[in-house]
Amino acid sequence: EEGREKAVSASLLTEDGFASYLRLRDRMLREEPSAFWSTPEDDSAQSMDEFRALMARPFNELWVVERAGESVAASGIYRQAKTKRAHRAHVWGVYCAPEHRGQGFARAVVEACITRARGWPCVDIVTLSVSASGAAALALYESLGFERWGTEPDVIRIGHNRYDEHHLALRL
């Protein structure tokens, strides 16, 4: 389409980008609390050392889109560690800053995760979960071929609000 921005590509997060990603992560947990299990206070990646340890795990990666040196979209993927589940990878932490939505950034980071999963030995299924309140995210995942296989009730509670979560899978 004329006037449309060229294809967006995601890059693998390196240690140089950890601080920028952690700023984005804090923002995602504060601005979209119903979409993520963690709060800023109980997040497993609260410190740079904890985050370094998380990212040092084998088959655990983060893909980002950066603009002006800052992470504006991100998605993680890890391969299941247990032998009987090593054929599965899981996408986690998908987020795009609101001011950058509608430009293909979320799609780019999720596609990068799918591409990576295709390259891992024996991985033939990618899973993810999405808040039932995240209609745009669900539409993105379904457009990429993910199929909803179930809905888990009352996964997240924030005050008196309860949020269900859809589970999806993509066969590679």
Side-chain angles (χ1 to χ4, degrees), residues 3 86 97 118 125:
R118 288 184 193 283
I125 191 163

Side-chain angles (χ1 to χ4, degrees), residues 21-46 92-95 156 158:
Y21 170 75
L22 288 175
R23 286 189 294 275
L24 182 69
R25 183 173 178 85
D26 183 68
R27 185 175 176 190
M28 71 194 329
L29 298 179
R30 290 182 192 285
E31 294 180 5
E32 302 284 346
S34 66
F36 303 100
W37 293 359
S38 296
T39 67
E41 297 74 30
D42 68 13
D43 187 31
S44 61
Q46 288 182 30
W92 58 274
V94 180
Y95 179 76
I156 293 177
I158 303 170

Side-chain angles (χ1 to χ4, degrees), residues 34-36 129-135 137-138 141 156 163-166:
S34 66
F36 303 100
S129 299
V130 61
S131 174
S133 64
L138 178 61
Y141 304 141
I156 293 177
Y163 298 91
D164 297 346
E165 195 167 80
H166 298 307

